[in-house]
Amino acid sequence: MRGTVVRVLVVAAHPDDKVLGCGGTVARWAEEGREIRVWLLGEGVTSRYETRQAGAEGGARYLAQVREQADRAASILGAAGCRVVGLPDNRIDSVDLLEVVKEVERAKREFDPDVVLTHHPGDLNVDHRICHQAVATAFRPLPGERWSSILSFEVSSSTEWQLPGGGVPFVPNAYVELAERHMEKKLAAMAAYAGEIREWPHARSLEALRALARSRGSQVGCGLAEAFAVARNIVRL
Ligand SMILES: [Zn+2]
């Protein structure tokens, strides 16, 4: 790792994904002095409207609210900054992939991270898959690159909802142990997205998020953990 402060870039498709996928890890790493930036590609609003036009109007109306929620959630987790790019939610596939890649490249240029956390390529949600693809393209292992790790996180109600054969399965091989305070920050940040929380036993209920963290933790001898799949790791000791 370069320098004294490790920089971590989170690239997520939708505002709540960063909390679901790596909220506890962000809370822990921020507490330990790592610098975290969050880059949200979609605005997380317009797919709820029936037409794209209504979506655009609704998106314009609510984008400020989404940004405020995203800032609040990032602040709870201790992230240094959060940018909502505002690509059309659940229609990122309607955007030229090159445009999505350019947004990720902008994040890379401005922040120059050591570690990148992003979606898994096998998710059910198409925005998540495109997000992963854009990161894989923007962070190609070219000579002179400074980043060392790309880790894919799991997003409840998308990663595990893919059907067999629909995408590569999420097989975790990296874990970050969480203390109870990190878990509480994750749940508090999720509460910033009240509209995204469901009642138990939905996969997005607060109980389910805690149960997942306990399950992932127990796989590696920890009380609580978030799990990741290593997409690429260049060991720079
Ligand atoms: Zn999402």
Side-chain angles (χ1 to χ4, degrees):
M1 297 288 177
R2 135 194 71 123
T4 53
V5 177
V6 174
R7 297 179 178 184
V8 181
L9 175 67
V10 179
V11 184
H14 312 119
D16 53 330
D17 292 334
K18 68 178 186 295
V19 182
L20 292 165
C22 58
T25 298
V26 169
R28 174 178 168 174
W29 285 356
E31 181 186 283
E32 293 172 350
R34 295 179 174 99
E35 191 177 348
I36 321 277
R37 289 283 169 82
V38 180
W39 213 265
L40 301 175
L41 297 181
E43 81 275 17
V45 172
T46 56
S47 68
R48 308 215 183 110
Y49 295 82
E50 289 186 3
T51 69
R52 186 71 189 95
Q53 188 178 9
E57 291 162 7
R61 194 169 346 121
Y62 287 109
L63 193 54
Q65 182 190 340
V66 167
R67 289 196 160 120
E68 191 271 327
Q69 285 178 330
D71 281 343
R72 184 149 32 100
S75 163
I76 290 168
L77 297 176
C82 178
R83 181 173 299 182
V84 180
V85 174
L87 297 176
D89 182 38
N90 272 335
R91 296 185 184 86
I92 292 180
D93 60 334
S94 70
V95 179
D96 188 359
L97 178 63
L98 190 59
E99 293 301 311
V100 186
V101 171
K102 279 182 179 172
E103 292 294 345
V104 179
E105 284 178 339
R106 196 151 59 92
K108 179 186 175 188
R109 206 166 43 244
E110 290 183 16
F111 189 50
D112 197 18
D114 299 288
V115 178
V116 184
L117 306 179
T118 193
H119 290 280
H120 187 257
D123 275 21
L124 181 60
N125 187 289
V126 64
D127 287 357
H128 295 182
R129 297 198 300 270
I130 291 170
C131 186
H132 178 93
Q133 198 178 347
V135 167
T137 304
F139 287 87
R140 298 185 300 283
L142 298 169
E145 294 285 329
R146 303 305 300 265
W147 59 270
S148 58
S149 297
I150 302 172
L151 303 176
S152 294
F153 49 65
E154 57 180 335
V155 172
S156 298
S157 79
S158 180
T159 310
E160 82 280 27
W161 280 6
Q162 180 60 281
L163 297 172
V168 288
F170 179 79
V171 180
N173 55 4
Y175 297 79
V176 175
E177 182 175 14
L178 305 179
E180 176 59 29
R181 64 183 180 281
H182 306 132
M183 192 67 211
E184 284 174 6
K185 281 187 179 177
K186 174 171 180 158
L187 297 181
M190 198 57 208
Y193 301 107
E196 303 293 342
I197 299 175
R198 302 287 186 270
E199 292 297 314
W200 170 264
H202 194 285
R204 279 175 182 246
S205 63
L206 297 180
E207 293 92 332
L209 297 181
R210 179 175 286 279
L212 178 62
R214 285 171 61 87
S215 173
R216 290 309 189 193
S218 71
Q219 292 171 2
V220 289
C222 302
L224 296 164
E226 280 175 339
F228 300 87
V230 176
R232 179 165 280 127
N233 188 30
I234 304 167
V235 180
R236 304 189 199 276
L237 293 174

